[in-house]
Amino acid sequence: MVSETSTQTNGHNAQLSLPIISITPYLLQLSPEVETQRANVSAAIHAACRDFGFFYLDISAISEPKETEELTELARRFFYSPQEEKDELSLSNQDHARGYARLKENVTNGKADNHEGIDFYRPVDNPDKTKPLWGENQWPTVPQFREKYEAWVEKMKMLGLVVMEAMAVGLGMTADEWKELRSSVDDSFWVMRAIGYPPLPNDHDGFSCGAHKDYGCLTFLHADTTLGALQVFLRRSGAGPDLSGLPAEQGDEEGVWITADPILGCVVCNIGEMWEIWSNGLYKSTLHRVVHRGSNYRVSVPFFFEPNLDALVKPLDAALRVQKKEKTALPSEGKAEKAKEYKPTVYGEFLMAKVGNNFANGKGKYVDD
Ligand SMILES: O=C(O)CCC(=O)C(=O)O
Ligand SMILES: [Fe+2]
């Protein structure tokens, strides 16, 4: 909530730590008091999206730690099974997107990532594995895996819609505007991934997962208790040189890499490129990466809440209103020319273009290389 975000430090300078925002008011029955709390939540999310593109979302109202611990335990059981068993669920059996990818099979920025993973997508009507993204999910035979993960999908889909509503309020959208936005995410083409990270060898100069921006709408990440692995790039001028000793994947951008360690009861939430378009750049999708140098085997479970395939994603009037208001508030820019607008895109076409490029060469999965 607003009053808490500036004081929660999570072990860092408050300016450089991700805010912690509870979604609980959006799950409670509406009353005048709850309405005020919701407005505070929305203002906090709006600020977090502008300043960080990342925040902790306290979801303790809908999930006990036991549930997420079970997810990581089930993933661990799968990743610890013999390699031949995991390979039976290989991406290549299906549409090259749904299934298991071996250690180093995934590539980011031209470098092999030091992780293995299994991906699931929203099921489709009339599956056809010869078509990009149109195959069937491949579930591990680990007892309870499918059941528990499918329950998580339902919960995250619900959470996605709730967070979208909170963001609509944060942008000052009217009820009709929210209704229209809602209709472009109410049949989300979601993706869920379980990722296993062995520690990086000491002399390894690469990354467990190279720096990238998520391309969709909202990511909700549950990770096990490993510290120091997930890093987020905060663009800040005057931040000084990057002392991480790692290749500068951020290019010439000035800023700092901070760690986003897990917090009990929270998922890490970040926005993808579709929100950058909806907000006309007011919200930025933020670079992040994983560098796991610990001695344990780390597991994370990101859920990607994405738009509907047929959603036309274009700058929202509410975001343009915010930008216009800010521009006219600046004395020097009183008669500013029309602000630059992001190009609209149909989510399904955008996704197919990303995946299609890789499909032809046997890599249906979207990789940012
Ligand atoms: O494992 C993590 O902490 C992050 C994974 C991630 O960024 C992704 O899969 O897009
Ligand atoms: Fe990511």
Side-chain angles (χ1 to χ4, degrees), residues 78-79 83 86 91 99-108 111-119 193-201 204 206-212 288-292 297-300 302 304 365-368:
F78 171 65
F79 291 126
Q83 188 64 47
K86 295 188 281 187
L91 295 172
Y100 169 74
R102 271 171 171 249
L103 193 65
K104 302 193 176 167
E105 198 172 318
N106 200 66
V107 174
T108 309
K111 264 194 169 167
D113 289 322
N114 204 62
H115 64 66
E116 54 186 333
I118 180 157
D119 285 17
R193 182 174 294 157
I195 314 177
Y197 296 93
L200 283 166
H204 198 281
F207 300 95
S208 308
C209 176
H212 64 281
H288 53 286
R289 68 187 182 193
V290 178
V291 185
H292 174 41
Y297 185 96
R298 174 180 188 259
V299 168
S300 73
F304 303 91
K365 223 167 130 61
Y366 165 53
V367 288
D368 220 355

Side-chain angles (χ1 to χ4, degrees), residues 77-266:
R77 245 177 264 162
F78 171 65
F79 291 126
Y80 290 177
S81 9
Q83 188 64 47
E84 318 79 77
E85 274 177 38
K86 295 188 281 187
D87 287 340
E88 280 170 21
L89 306 185
S90 166
L91 295 172
S92 56
N93 299 335
Q94 275 295 329
D95 52 10
H96 296 274
R98 297 164 196 256
Y100 169 74
R102 271 171 171 249
L103 193 65
K104 302 193 176 167
E105 198 172 318
N106 200 66
V107 174
T108 309
N109 306 325
K111 264 194 169 167
D113 289 322
N114 204 62
H115 64 66
E116 54 186 333
I118 180 157
D119 285 17
F120 308 89
Y121 286 71
R122 177 198 177 283
V124 293
D125 293 335
N126 308 317
D128 175 353
K129 65 181 185 181
T130 65
K131 279 173 40 191
L133 294 172
W134 227 250
E136 289 179 277
N137 288 328
Q138 306 186 72
W139 292 97
T141 53
V142 173
Q144 299 255 301
F145 189 107
R146 182 170 182 170
E147 188 184 326
K148 300 283 180 190
Y149 271 82
E150 283 186 333
W152 187 246
V153 168
E154 289 312 308
K155 206 168 263 190
M156 292 299 100
K157 274 165 45 184
M158 184 275 282
L159 183 66
L161 282 174
V162 170
V163 175
M164 289 297 291
E165 182 179 2
M167 292 177 78
V169 172
L171 273 175
M173 290 176 80
T174 64
D176 280 348
E177 286 173 336
W178 160 233
K179 215 169 135 197
E180 196 186 329
L181 177 62
R182 193 183 191 284
S183 72
S184 58
V185 292
D186 59 0
D187 186 16
S188 165
F189 197 75
W190 56 265
V191 187
M192 177 175 65
R193 182 174 294 157
I195 314 177
Y197 296 93
L200 283 166
N202 273 335
D203 57 351
H204 198 281
D205 68 340
F207 300 95
S208 308
C209 176
H212 64 281
K213 294 176 178 179
D214 292 344
Y215 58 83
C217 177
L218 292 169
T219 305
F220 301 126
L221 175 89
H222 163 66
D224 72 12
T225 54
T226 307
L227 301 179
L230 174 63
Q231 303 182 350
V232 174
F233 185 70
L234 300 184
R235 296 193 295 168
R236 298 288 183 273
S237 52
D242 175 6
L243 299 175
S244 67
L246 291 162
E249 296 173 298
Q250 67 275 21
D252 296 335
E253 291 266 20
E254 248 193 294
V256 277
W257 286 97
I258 63 159
T259 55
D261 286 338
I263 297 182
L264 200 66
C266 295

Side-chain angles (χ1 to χ4, degrees), residues 320-340:
L320 299 177
R321 287 196 298 269
V322 173
Q323 285 178 323
K324 200 166 157 204
K325 206 161 143 197
E326 289 179 354
K327 229 165 179 182
T328 45
L330 290 174
S332 58
E333 304 203 25
K335 282 202 271 2
E337 73 292 357
K338 200 170 177 290
K340 178 181 157 277

Side-chain angles (χ1 to χ4, degrees), residues 41-57:
V41 169
S42 291
I45 295 180
H46 178 67
C49 289
R50 299 191 67 161
D51 299 343
F52 300 94
F54 258 86
F55 52 96
Y56 289 99
L57 194 63

